[in-house]
Amino acid sequence: MNILIIGAGGREHALAWKIRQSDLCDELFIAPGNAGTANCGINLSINSNDFEGLKQAALDNNIQLIVVGPEEPLVKGVVDYFISNPSTQHINIIGPDKFAAQLEGSKAFAKAFMSKYKIPTAAYQEFTVDNYEDGIAYINHHQLPIVLKADGLAAGKGVLICNSHEEALSEFKQMMLLSKFGDAGNKIVIEQYLEGIEMSVFVLTDGHDYLLLPEAKDYKRIGEGDSGLNTGGMGAVSPLSFFDEALKDKIIKTIVHPTIQGIQKEKFHYKGFVFIGLMINNGEPYVIEYNCRLGDPETEVVIPRIKNDFVEMLLAAATGKINSIKINTDPRAAVAIVAVSEGYPGPYNIEKKINGLNNNAVQESMFFHSGTAFKNNDIVTNGGRVLAVTAFGKDIKEAASISKEALQQIHFEGIYFRNDIGYEFY
Ligand code: AMP
Ligand code: GLY
């Protein structure tokens, strides 16, 4: 069958790489893709949010399966667009519809869902301009630190952890009255700060049952030792040694199972990935957030560890048969290290020529492109995160070391990456 992947990052390159390996895949298209996805299929220069353009491409190329990579088209209703249109109803599409995508698109929606299904999460209250004064009073009485979350999508910047009441009050005012995050901040969730170790679990659901995928941890800060500004993710590792049978059982029982039951009971149209961000506090898991898609760069370690035919898995999710799949996981460790442009996550330049991509001489390593493009006959940088180098090893330390060795082959002006990805597991 012909398959279309929507998106342009490292996650989509990893998806394309894996889908390309399936005998069930005839032609593969990526919209818009990047210089890396062009090695796996045909890039179509259509923006991920151009539903009309995507529909036309799907019809022109006889697409039978679509995988939506990023959250924005999901939250904007790309699944609804395809399933409500008579000409595209027959296409299997991986991702929740607009209503269900609120699990990621609205923090208040997600918190209400967790509360209804008794899923452990930080205590919270939500506020709008209508109860603005109550919000001020709530902050004044809240213990420190105080977590403020813009309700809507804010490109990963909508969560603020405030260490003083003054800071929290000032941020609350800027979000609510001065539209610091645009409409995303019209509603604000204020919640308890959770201490602990962060990790993520991923499931593929057909709306009734689910398949648990390998777990992962990402490294969000720009600097070594988890210092400096937040980024989209500087690296990821899988598996996690502390994710033992006892913790896994607890997470399944108290979080994954009730989440999928909630999706089923609410009759959500949800055939796709649920990415559950967790904080493990003294052995007890709490949900920090739901995402309605896979993570980036988590995908670059999760997907390589899956040995199954990925198209078979996706079709099972799309057709209500996810229970028929048994996951077969590579026992080796995988580490992805992300190389970024100089200046990221602040302003950075693009179109720097990238050398060394073509003949990867380091075994057990893979280059997944995030922000790359073609210019004349070269591959050039085209984003803050430029590429993720994933390597396998017998453990995280070895995989990280192989990833760094492979990274030595890559050159572009201003290249930066963290040398310490996975450090707690060494
Ligand atoms: P998000 O944008 O929802 O992924 O949140 C960004 C980051 O903020 C998370 O990865 C956590 O590190 C942190 N965070 C979010 N909520 C909390 C919380 N209640 N307590 C502590 N840290 C949090
Ligand atoms: N790496 C975090 C995310 O994809 O949201």
Side-chain angles (χ1 to χ4, degrees), residues 23-322:
D23 289 338
L24 296 168
C25 178
D26 293 322
E27 285 201 84
L28 177 62
F29 298 88
I30 309 95
N34 58 40
T37 62
N39 287 325
C40 310
I42 298 167
N43 286 346
L44 303 171
S45 63
I46 304 166
N47 186 286
S48 304
N49 296 311
D50 173 6
F51 297 173
E52 180 61 37
L54 292 168
K55 180 183 101 183
Q56 203 49 53
L59 294 174
D60 291 347
N61 295 296
N62 189 24
I63 298 295
Q64 285 160 289
L65 174 67
I66 299 178
V67 187
V68 187
E71 63 278 15
E72 204 182 334
L74 292 167
V75 170
K76 288 184 169 158
V78 71
V79 170
D80 312 60
Y81 183 84
F82 273 85
I83 60 180
S84 65
N85 199 308
S87 65
T88 50
Q89 264 166 359
H90 64 283
I91 302 174
N92 285 313
I93 179 161
I94 296 294
D97 73 0
K98 185 175 182 172
F99 190 81
Q102 289 180 93
L103 281 178
E104 174 163 3
S106 164
K107 307 271 187 207
F109 180 93
K111 294 298 270 192
F113 176 90
M114 287 183 248
S115 162
K116 182 165 179 187
Y117 291 98
K118 301 193 169 42
I119 295 164
T121 185
Y124 82 106
Q125 290 278 326
E126 61 183 75
F127 299 94
T128 62
V129 279
D130 295 335
N131 58 353
Y132 177 78
E133 292 302 330
D134 296 343
I136 300 288
Y138 190 77
I139 290 173
N140 277 324
H141 291 104
H142 202 289
Q143 71 181 49
L144 296 173
I146 304 168
V147 183
L148 301 187
K149 296 187 171 184
D151 181 59
L153 290 185
K157 297 192 174 76
V159 174
L160 300 167
I161 296 171
C162 304
N163 289 308
S164 73
H165 289 96
E166 293 70 33
E167 184 190 355
L169 289 168
S170 156
E171 293 291 352
F172 183 71
K173 284 179 193 162
Q174 286 182 52
M175 281 159 87
M176 192 76 91
L177 304 180
L178 303 174
S179 298
K180 179 169 178 179
F181 297 116
D183 289 347
N186 287 351
K187 194 183 273 180
I188 296 174
V189 165
I190 303 181
E191 71 177 30
Q192 169 202 6
Y193 179 78
L194 297 172
E195 303 253 10
I197 313 172
E198 272 188 82
M199 65 166 289
S200 301
V201 293
F202 303 88
V203 301
L204 178 59
T205 183
D206 57 12
H208 293 270
D209 300 298
Y210 67 91
L211 188 66
L212 189 67
L213 309 181
E215 75 282 5
K217 179 181 189 324
D218 82 337
Y219 293 79
K220 287 208 171 71
R221 302 300 187 108
I222 187 74
E224 290 177 6
D226 295 322
S227 60
L229 294 173
N230 257 325
T231 70
M234 297 295 293
V237 304
S238 176
L240 308 174
S241 50
F242 64 83
F243 185 70
D244 55 14
E245 282 303 314
L247 180 59
K248 182 174 171 181
D249 286 350
K250 199 178 275 180
I251 291 171
I252 288 177
K253 189 160 157 271
T254 64
I255 292 170
V256 179
H257 199 72
T259 297
I260 301 300
Q261 260 188 337
I263 285 175
Q264 189 182 347
K265 285 204 178 125
E266 299 293 320
K267 297 194 166 54
F268 284 172
H269 177 97
Y270 205 128
K271 298 162 192 294
F273 299 100
V274 193
F275 160 171
I276 312 178
L278 302 169
M279 187 71 85
I280 315 298
N281 174 283
N282 289 324
E284 295 301 321
Y286 296 84
V287 176
I288 291 191
E289 60 168 350
Y290 287 118
N291 294 308
C292 60
R293 38 112 192 148
L294 287 173
D296 196 348
E298 292 91 330
T299 305
E300 290 93 301
V301 292
V302 169
I303 295 268
R305 292 194 62 229
I306 297 173
K307 290 168 105 175
N308 301 60
D309 181 315
F310 204 62
V311 175
E312 201 176 298
M313 281 170 55
L314 296 171
L315 285 176
T319 56
K321 296 185 190 123
I322 199 70

